[in-house]
Amino acid sequence: MKDEDKTEEQLINELVEMRQKLAELKALQTRYEQTEEAISEHRRMEEEFLERERERERERERERERELCTIFAAIPDCVYLTDTEGNILDANPALMELVGLSLEQIQNKNVLDIFPGENLDKLLDAAVRLQSGEGVRGLEIQAKAASGEVRDFEIHSIPLKKDGEVTALLNVGRDITERKRAEEQIRASLKEKEVLLQEEVLLQEIHHRVRNNMQIVSSLLKLQAGRMKDEKVRQAFKESQRRVMAMALVHETLYRSYSMADIELQKHIPALVDSIYRTFRIKQKVNLQVDVEDIKLSINQAVPLSLVINELISNSLKHAFPEGKGEMIIKVRSRGDNEIEVVVRDNGRGMPEEIDYDKTLGLQLVTGLVESQLDGTWEVIGKEGTQNIIRFKNKG
């Protein structure tokens, strides 16, 4: 239908409809524009968010770098970065302090400027291995310090790669000078101990042979005594035999001891007393009590002390018990101030008041040994038996 054929009402309706469609189009355009603005705002916000994240990541990277730099600076070992030719690119303060150069000065150096020429072969061999991608551990070389002192270092190196190619080398050098000195001292000490051990073995063999020789002398004296018809002469030989055996027992103790210098009286004195007692072949009932503290004596004091104890016990066993029974006590103890007290006591008939010490060989021997060899004192108490008290300083 043509417009001129349409009624006024129809035209008005079409106009209204067109206006409605136009309004709808405008509304659509408005919504589109709003959507575009929203999308644009969203993109802007998204970009701002991503930029903030990127900045935070950059800050984290900077923080990690600061931490690594702090660690790098704090490491006491010498840490340095080189190119594949050995030119120093970076170094920590420990290396700078060692060579006495600033970072700017050290960056113009090659590792061969720091490590003396005698290390050249080792460094070249390490360089070949590193450039092939292999790490190097425990390379021992020497470095010259700023003071002029040559110090020992242990180097650990790893290659750094980019796209499969070695581009740089990370090196850590630990100063092992003191460790090597300690190792040298240990080796020297071990060598010294080996020498001492050989000397101890030799000394042990000497004690063994002295003991054997003394036992031979004792056996000869025993055989000779058996041939003597005079009882006094026979007894004199037997007393000499006991004295020799007392000295031999000291060497026996040393031979069986872990120490070649000291005698443990707690083991030696009971063995000595038992040996003396057995040589007398006593039939009487003489009860022996031995009480010895844990004391060590040098051989220079143990020998005279053994002879003194031998004389005193022998004298008591020969003269103190005419009735064939009694008791004898031997005590050795430390009295403080490094003083040792030896007591040999019996409950026998006691020592005669008129005895002449100068005319009795055994008592003369005791006096001489106590005063000259032990630098000590000897006290005799004759009440209710005989009590001998000997005091001297332990010089061990």
Side-chain angles (χ1 to χ4, degrees), residues 65-333:
E65 187 176 342
R66 285 192 292 270
E67 289 175 355
L68 289 173
C69 288
T70 301
I71 295 171
F72 186 64
I75 293 175
D77 295 331
C78 296
V79 183
Y80 54 100
L81 186 68
T82 68
D83 61 19
T84 56
E85 301 298 323
N87 299 308
I88 297 175
L89 305 175
D90 198 3
N92 73 335
L95 182 63
M96 290 185 275
E97 183 180 353
L98 173 71
V99 297
L101 298 174
S102 67
L103 181 60
E104 291 75 16
Q105 292 171 318
I106 207 171
Q107 283 175 329
N108 296 321
K109 300 286 183 182
N110 189 280
V111 290
L112 294 176
D113 298 323
I114 298 174
F115 303 111
E118 53 265 28
N119 300 301
L120 181 60
D121 290 340
K122 291 182 179 180
L123 291 172
L124 289 176
D125 179 64
V128 171
R129 292 165 58 188
L130 287 165
Q131 288 175 2
S132 67
E134 181 183 351
V136 174
R137 296 181 59 83
L139 177 66
E140 291 192 11
I141 58 177
Q142 292 181 319
K144 190 173 183 180
S147 62
E149 180 187 8
V150 176
R151 300 188 66 82
D152 294 294
F153 275 81
E154 185 178 73
I155 306 295
H156 303 273
S157 303
I158 58 171
L160 303 180
K161 297 180 181 181
K162 184 177 182 181
D163 299 329
E165 296 291 328
V166 176
T167 57
L169 308 173
L170 179 62
N171 311 274
V172 179
R174 174 161 295 178
D175 191 333
I176 59 171
T177 307
E178 300 306 322
R179 190 186 81 186
K180 290 187 76 69
R181 286 174 183 170
E183 288 173 353
E184 278 296 322
Q185 290 175 350
I186 290 171
R187 279 192 290 269
S189 178
L190 287 174
K191 188 173 182 180
E192 183 181 346
K193 282 181 170 55
E194 287 176 2
V195 172
L196 289 174
L197 182 60
Q198 291 173 357
E199 290 178 353
E200 283 199 7
V201 171
L202 179 60
L203 190 58
Q204 191 177 38
E205 180 62 22
I206 290 171
H207 284 302
H208 179 56
R209 294 189 180 188
V210 169
R211 179 205 64 177
N212 289 344
N213 290 337
M214 285 187 169
Q215 286 179 339
I216 291 172
V217 172
S218 175
S219 298
L220 291 173
L221 289 171
K222 183 178 179 181
L223 288 172
Q224 193 66 37
R227 292 174 176 270
M228 295 295 108
K229 295 180 180 180
D230 190 320
E231 182 60 27
K232 289 185 178 180
V233 175
R234 185 183 297 112
Q235 289 302 319
F237 270 94
K238 287 184 177 180
E239 287 174 3
S240 297
Q241 180 195 2
R242 283 193 292 271
R243 290 163 188 155
V244 171
M245 288 304 298
M247 291 187 288
L249 189 60
V250 174
H251 291 279
E252 169 75 13
T253 303
L254 280 174
Y255 173 67
R256 298 185 180 280
S257 172
Y258 288 107
S259 171
M260 289 291 103
D262 298 319
I263 294 287
E264 296 180 17
L265 296 186
Q266 205 170 49
K267 295 178 180 179
H268 174 66
I269 298 299
L272 175 65
V273 173
D274 181 65
S275 174
I276 297 167
Y277 190 80
R278 283 187 288 106
T279 60
F280 273 88
R281 298 178 181 176
I282 293 175
K283 296 180 181 179
Q284 308 102 307
K285 295 181 179 180
V286 178
N287 182 34
L288 290 176
Q289 295 183 27
V290 183
D291 181 12
V292 183
E293 291 183 359
D294 185 13
I295 300 171
K296 292 181 179 180
L297 274 189
S298 70
I299 187 172
N300 292 332
Q301 289 186 294
V303 169
L305 178 62
S306 298
L307 288 170
V308 167
I309 291 174
N310 172 74
E311 294 299 326
L312 295 177
I313 294 176
S314 298
N315 190 63
S316 291
L317 291 175
K318 285 192 294 184
H319 305 295
F321 308 107
E323 297 180 3
K325 62 180 180 178
E327 183 179 70
M328 184 180 297
I329 298 174
I330 299 95
K331 290 186 177 181
V332 183
R333 64 190 68 185

